[in-house]
Amino acid sequence: LFLLNLIKTMNKYIAECIGTFGLTLAVIVSLGGVISVPTPFIAALTVGLFVYSIGAISGAHLNPAVTVSLLSLGKINPKDAVAYIVAQFAGALVAMVAGTFLVVVPVLPVATTLGVFLAESLGAFFLMFGIASVVYGKTPAPASGIVIGGSLFLGVSLASIFSNGVLNPAVALAIGSFSSLYLSGPIIGAVLGGWLFAFVAGEK
């Protein structure tokens, strides 16, 4: 009974771990050339589906940058935010290990230029702008997965012009596209996107 109750208190963290694992593995398999569908579409579809499946459990952040942004908006408490981020990186790392048995992931260039930082920031900005519309109830619930998945697709597509278009520090670490820019860019962009939507929507 104690173990069951403990699991119930951790269900949202487990959901974040599973969701980030699924997202990261989908990206890895796509980059490995197993799936002919473009990676941005696969990522957007995966996130959209997880919004519908685990959104009611954890909110389906699946991204440390999103969690930090929601923390700054007061939509998640610090304790849960830390646990979410740990769960997200854990899920991504497990997917990285699993991916080595499935595909050979190409080595991605990890440039350290201002363009990379701006691209990752801009992409995360649009992603979080869409997420915030769902969080603040401005998007009809049945369309939440479509809006968030579409926002990710837009953000990744724009960012891909100047960067690897990851927008997610956990996924970036798992696919070998991790640096201070791939960490800070998405976080700053997501925070700005969340706060700007809150301001436009009259919430802040």
Side-chain angles (χ1 to χ4, degrees), residues 15-92:
E16 283 296 303
C17 184
I18 293 172
T20 310
F21 168 82
L23 170 60
T24 307
L25 190 62
V27 170
I28 288 173
V29 171
S30 178
L31 291 174
V34 176
I35 304 175
S36 59
V37 180
T39 303
F41 183 80
I42 289 295
L45 177 63
T46 303
V47 167
L49 291 175
F50 274 120
V51 167
Y52 291 122
S53 62
I54 66 171
I57 301 172
S58 70
H61 298 191
L62 314 185
N63 185 333
V66 171
T67 298
V68 171
S69 179
L70 292 174
L71 174 64
S72 75
L73 292 168
K75 294 298 182 178
I76 185 173
N77 63 64
K79 176 185 175 182
D80 280 342
V82 171
Y84 269 43
I85 292 172
V86 171
Q88 290 155 3
F89 273 103

